[in-house]
Amino acid sequence: MNDVAQPAMAGILAALVGYASTFTLVLSGLAHAGAAPTEAASGLFVVCLALGLLNTVIAWRRKLPLSFAWSTPGAAFLLTLQPVEGGFPAVTGAFIIVAALVIASGLLRPLARAVAMIPQAVAAAMLAGVLLSLCLAPVKAVAEVPMLALPILAAWMLGLVFVRRYAVPLAVLVAAIEIGWSMSGSGTGLDVTLPTLAFVMPTFTLDALVKVALPLFVITMASQNLTGIAVMRANGYEVEARSPFVLTGAASAAIALFGGLTVNLAAITAALAAGPEAHPDPQKRWVAPVAAGFTYFALALLATLAAAFIAASPPILIQAVAGLALLPSLASALAAGLAAEETRLPAIVTFVTTASGITLLGIGGAFWGLLAGIGLMLVLRSRKPA
């Protein structure tokens, strides 16, 4: 019985923690990119359905603890976007382009190698620059709404001390209690209807390609897909990239039509399903992502309620909760970017350029940060003596 119960509990835990920690980020990112509340709820709904399908079917058929998730860094990136010409339909078109590029990375080895050749330090520094503004939100929330923000921070810190894995879900719970209390006092209520699909007709624009698609593709591949494969290999599983890339790309293209954010290999929660915590026997850990998949199917039913929760919340409060969830990712990205002395300066240039939030020629800071870091690295290498 323990052969099933232990990995099943690990998978359920991975899904619940992943959802509770970052669903606010996904909904806020879609809303910032121009999605209406119904479109954002539809997006969360179809993302959960896609994750349920990918996790259950692939793990079941291949008997591997291969896990899938939404792109937390990708959702964070959406919150840094400047207005995109064409609004959310153009962003949807960009999601489809990202999906096509991910599929191409699975089918065309040169493209996958080109992405893998982006210096890890520069890619990590770009991610850190994207995350910085969001990770400042908890501090700003304390200044703007201290009576609401301080209890959330206190819950998060207590969680870190006693139940580290549940620190962010505890913060979300406190935020939910505060919002529910304020709504009960005002006589308003939350929408508890079942989620529905909202079709978004995509448009394809050069502005969205450069502002959204290309940076999101790099972030998805560098921080999620390639990292996810590395996590699997670190736990003793040899995984070829072709099939996961093609499947996640196809799923991402389909759900983009209903507001869904790109899905990919899990990186942050992958270790829960693939590591010893799931089961001492590596051959029995595949049950974990199957259980996670069924959990995502159940969580999909909460999409409308989750969207109403976000709409009823002060924006700075939701950003603060999201910022707390992203602090470990920021720390990891900074550590990876600054680890090697020879790449430290290009990484810092990438970081400050991305974090500046500049827009030049209609193109955002993430693209220019990546370009500046790689450019400086090439210049420095060309000056080294032979």
Side-chain angles (χ1 to χ4, degrees), residues 193-207:
T193 59
L194 291 176
T196 57
L197 296 176
F199 180 75
V200 181
M201 178 61 72
T203 60
F204 300 92
T205 66
L206 181 62
D207 187 57

Side-chain angles (χ1 to χ4, degrees), residues 82-91 203-208 211 362:
Q82 298 295 324
V84 177
E85 292 179 12
F88 194 58
V91 173
T203 60
F204 300 92
T205 66
L206 181 62
D207 187 57
K211 280 185 180 178

Side-chain angles (χ1 to χ4, degrees), residues 308-324:
F309 170 76
I310 298 299
S313 310
I316 187 63
L317 205 62
I318 294 302
Q319 292 170 20
V321 174
L324 294 176

Side-chain angles (χ1 to χ4, degrees), residues 168-192:
V168 175
L170 278 174
V172 173
L173 178 61
V174 172
I177 292 171
E178 291 180 343
I179 294 165
W181 182 271
S182 65
M183 292 183 70
S184 64
S186 63
T188 57
L190 289 174
D191 184 358
V192 293

Side-chain angles (χ1 to χ4, degrees), residues 259-289:
L261 178 66
T262 304
V263 294
N264 39 243
L265 284 168
I268 298 172
T269 58
L272 282 174
E277 288 185 3
H279 199 282
D281 185 353
Q283 300 301 318
K284 297 176 179 177
R285 296 173 191 167
W286 62 269
V287 175

